[in-house]
Amino acid sequence: MDDVVDGYEMTVAVEWMVEYILEVRGSPPVRSVTIIDAADIDQVRNELHRELTTLYPDAGRIDVTVIRMSTVSSIDSQSMFEEDGLFHP
């Protein structure tokens, strides 16, 4: 969903679930999952890099193997309620 408003391109970010294996020299591999707000896969990659370098600032090298990457579909919370206010998941 891209729109142009007053000459500025508006891009809607969505949530991406990224499951990965992280290897930092001198430590055992760690399997982890994170949620990243991004507009596209390139931005997901950049945000994941920023997140990991923030978590491991002293690591000279960080090896990442992405296992799974997909968008997270959100559920409209109002659609789970009837007119009487009863909750139906």
Side-chain angles (χ1 to χ4, degrees):
M1 283 177 51
D2 293 337
D3 289 324
V4 176
V5 177
D6 296 330
Y8 295 99
E9 185 175 339
M10 303 287 289
T11 304
V12 176
V14 295
E15 288 184 324
W16 293 77
M17 186 277 306
V18 182
E19 182 179 1
Y20 60 92
I21 296 174
L22 174 72
E23 296 182 59
V24 177
R25 182 173 285 167
S27 299
V30 176
R31 188 171 182 157
S32 188
V33 174
T34 188
I35 301 294
I36 296 175
D37 289 331
D40 57 26
I41 291 178
D42 288 333
Q43 190 176 8
V44 172
R45 182 179 51 83
N46 291 335
E47 293 299 322
L48 180 61
H49 179 264
R50 182 185 354 243
E51 181 177 313
L52 295 176
T53 55
T54 300
L55 290 172
Y56 301 93
D58 298 329
R61 177 179 172 148
I62 298 174
D63 292 320
V64 178
T65 303
V66 175
I67 299 168
R68 183 173 41 168
M69 181 185 310
S70 62
T71 58
V72 177
S73 59
S74 61
I75 300 171
D76 179 14
S77 61
Q78 290 180 352
S79 68
M80 294 192 298
F81 289 89
E82 289 183 347
E83 291 180 17
D84 297 332
L86 299 173
F87 178 70
H88 292 278

